[in-house]
Structure formats: structure tokens, C-alpha cells
Amino acid sequence: MKILHLDSNHPLLLNQLNILDFTNDEDYTSSKQEIENKIHLYDGIIIRSRFSIDKSFLDKATNLKFIGRVGAGLENIDCKYATLKNIELIAAPEGNRNAVGEHALAMLLSLFNKLNKADKEVRKGKWLREENRGIELDGRTIGLIGYGNMGKSFAKKLRGFDVEVLCYDIKSNVGDKNCKQVSLSELQKKADVLSLHTPQTDLTKNMINANFINDFKKPFWLINTARGTSVVTKNLVSALESGKILGAGLDVLEYEKSSFENLFSKDKMPKAFEYLIHADNVILSPHVAGWTIESKEKLAQTIVDKIKIKFC
């Protein structure tokens, strides 16, 4: 079987597939059209998020048997059409779930303890102790939306704290010893913190909007390490200004390109984003929650292992 690699990944991926007698070609620079002109030669492709795999692309991939996505989400792939063409879809959420769980916790604790604000002030010679008095996580209720690999990882990290962890998920019976599954209304009634762990779907797009935010009984903190399209940024900013949202940790933004590699050009900075970058109660990171040294290796190994099970 011939595999075309469209993004660079940990070298173990290529090395182990070579050992398994797959033929591996690499093309990290050609345009999508150039790739389409030769995709019929390949049985498999491995991609991160370089470009979308749409119906037109899949029609040209006449011999394709699998698509390996070195990451968790599959929103850049026309999954329904690929399935109709009997193409196996392979993702690797197991590979970076621990990294995402740790990042979400880091953001939450940083917000509660004003670490980013305090750090910037001390670097400027300001020694403001009372202004940087933090709050403690113990005694809070943490609400998770989405309780798959990422949500479970975050809930596990929270076991060391005296907190109640609740989750809402469209699947039934996903709760476990680390988290109680509840209705969305109960979560909105009780949560002090909301953390998103959902894929990008029609259900989750623009999910965190003004109406959704206002349905929370208490002011709350928001953590988003999932997908930027889930949050309507201008509604988030309004809630931050009013105090309905107390602070936000955002690893993802609705302004990201679909490849997750770039934002908008600087001359088109949205007003809502300009607010976020100047807010002391907002922490931003460039879609790196699942982007650790360890997860790079684990993601690649997960893809290899799944290909081996299916095609060896």
C-alpha cells in the first residue's frame, strides 16, 4: 500500500510504517490541485490540517482506503462522503488528551490566581499584592460540555481538588467516577466554571452565544480548548464586560483559519479580538493545548497502531 504524507509529523510515524512495508511518499508543499492530480496513486493519506478533504478531492482519490488525521477532530474531512466511498477514517484523540487536560487546568489556575496579570506587572516594576489576590478552586463546581477523550482527561486532573465535576453530553451514560452526567439546565444552574471539550459540528457551532450565556444562573469562568467556532466572540466580550463571564482561557478562536495555522491579517483585527488581547482576565494561547513534545510522539504512535490493526 502507498501512503501520501501531507504534513510533517514525528519521525516514528514514517519509520514504523516503513518497517511495516508501506510505501511512504512525502509532499508538504504542493498545492491542493497538484495533490488531487496524483491522489489516485495512493491507498492512504496522512494529514494534520493542511487543507480540507472535500467531495471533489475524494472523487479523484479512486484508490483511497484510509485517511489518517494526526489529531482529534475530523471537521476538515467530508466524513459522510468518505464513509460512502468505504474510506476508513482514522483519528488520534487518545494521543493528545492528556496534554489538553493539563492545559485546561493550567489556564483555569492561572485565571484564578491572576498569574498573567501579576507577571506582567512585576516585570514592569509594579508590586501589587492586594490587587492580585486570587481565589481557590476548592469548593467550586466545574461544568464540562463534551465528555469524550478530552473531557475525561480534564475531569481526571481535577480529582486532586475538592470540586464537583458535572458534564453534559449528547451521548447517554458517559459519566464515571470522576464526573456526574447531568442535563444542560442543571449544569447551567450549578457551574462556576464551564470548560468545552466538543468537536466542531453543526450542533456546536456558535453554541456559546448570548442566550446560552444568560441561561447560567451564576457568573462563571470559561475555558475553551476545543474549537473556536463554538464561541461567538462578540457575545463573550459582552459577557466579560457585564461580569456575567468572570474570565476566559481561550486556546482556540473563531478567527482561526481552517488549517489552525494562522489568524486573520493584522489589518483586519476584529474589535472583539482587540478587547480580548487587552483584558487582564483573559488568557490566550495559539491552539496548542494538545501540542506538547509528548503528544507529538503519542499522536503519531496512535495513527501507526490504528493503521496496523486495520491494514496489516
Side-chain angles (χ1 to χ4, degrees):
M1 294 177 70
K2 293 182 67 176
I3 302 175
L4 180 61
H5 296 254
L6 297 174
D7 292 292
S8 61
N9 288 291
H10 194 282
L12 76 78
L13 201 158
L14 277 167
N15 293 340
Q16 292 192 24
L17 290 175
N18 282 328
I19 292 171
L20 293 169
D21 288 330
F22 289 94
T23 299
N24 295 280
D25 292 342
E26 301 168 76
D27 189 338
Y28 306 147
T29 58
S30 294
S31 68
K32 183 177 179 180
Q33 183 176 351
E34 289 171 327
I35 298 296
E36 287 180 347
N37 291 337
K38 64 180 180 180
I39 194 59
H40 64 281
L41 300 173
Y42 293 94
D43 301 285
I45 58 175
I46 293 178
I47 189 170
R48 288 201 315 267
S49 302
R50 181 170 156 196
F51 53 69
S52 62
I53 306 296
D54 52 20
K55 184 176 180 180
S56 175
F57 185 96
L58 293 170
D59 281 337
K60 295 177 175 65
T62 51
N63 291 307
L64 201 63
K65 298 176 180 62
F66 74 86
I67 301 170
R69 203 257 147 162
V70 188
L74 294 170
E75 65 267 25
N76 284 341
I77 301 170
D78 189 332
C79 296
K80 289 183 179 179
Y81 195 63
T83 300
L84 285 174
K85 295 178 77 70
N86 295 314
I87 297 171
E88 188 80 26
L89 300 174
I90 302 172
E94 304 90 342
N96 62 357
R97 60 189 175 191
N98 183 70
V100 171
E102 290 189 3
H103 196 96
L105 181 58
M107 281 189 147
L108 181 56
L109 292 175
S110 294
L111 285 168
F112 273 32
N113 292 284
K114 303 182 181 180
L115 294 184
N116 276 24
K117 174 179 178 292
D119 175 77
K120 287 187 290 186
E121 290 173 352
V122 172
R123 291 173 188 272
K124 294 177 181 178
K126 298 179 180 180
W127 196 258
L128 305 175
R129 298 185 66 219
E130 187 58 40
E131 293 85 345
N132 287 301
R133 189 184 290 274
I135 61 173
E136 297 180 14
L137 187 54
D138 277 16
R140 312 283 174 173
T141 298
I142 316 299
L144 314 180
I145 296 186
Y147 201 60
N149 281 283
M150 309 307 170
K152 285 181 167 64
S153 175
F154 186 38
K156 184 178 179 181
K157 309 300 177 199
L158 291 166
R159 288 178 64 182
F161 297 89
D162 183 15
V163 295
E164 180 181 21
V165 184
L166 307 175
C167 70
Y168 170 75
D169 197 291
I170 59 172
K171 296 180 180 179
S172 300
N173 302 315
V174 298
D176 56 24
K177 64 181 180 180
N178 299 325
C179 182
K180 177 185 176 184
Q181 186 171 9
V182 297
S183 66
L184 180 58
S185 60
E186 183 175 349
L187 185 146
Q188 291 175 313
K189 179 181 179 181
K190 294 182 176 179
D192 299 295
V193 175
L194 174 65
S195 186
L196 305 182
H197 301 279
T198 48
Q200 182 172 302
T201 68
D202 291 340
L203 288 174
T204 63
K205 188 174 182 181
N206 297 329
M207 174 176 62
I208 311 301
N209 55 33
N211 290 335
F212 185 96
I213 292 167
N214 289 331
D215 283 340
F216 276 75
K217 181 178 180 181
K218 299 183 284 186
F220 65 96
W221 303 79
L222 175 68
I223 305 294
N224 188 11
T225 55
R227 287 292 183 262
T229 54
S230 294
V231 177
V232 181
T233 311
K234 63 181 181 180
N235 293 164
L236 166 62
V237 168
S238 295
L240 287 166
E241 290 177 323
S242 70
K244 183 66 177 181
I245 292 181
L246 300 169
L250 307 173
D251 180 56
V252 290
L253 294 165
E254 68 170 302
Y255 312 116
E256 290 178 76
K257 304 296 185 183
S258 60
S259 67
F260 309 136
E261 298 296 330
N262 301 101
L263 282 170
F264 47 81
S265 58
K266 288 187 177 180
D267 59 326
K268 296 180 180 179
M269 182 181 290
K271 185 177 180 180
F273 182 70
E274 190 169 0
Y275 176 93
L276 294 179
I277 64 176
H278 292 103
D280 286 333
N281 59 340
V282 174
I283 295 178
L284 304 168
S285 56
H287 203 140
V288 293
W291 203 255
T292 62
I293 299 298
E294 293 83 359
S295 71
K296 184 176 183 180
E297 180 174 350
K298 287 188 281 189
L299 285 165
Q301 188 65 62
T302 300
I303 293 294
V304 171
D305 292 344
K306 290 185 177 181
I307 291 173
K308 185 176 180 180
I309 290 170
K310 294 286 185 178
F311 299 101
C312 290

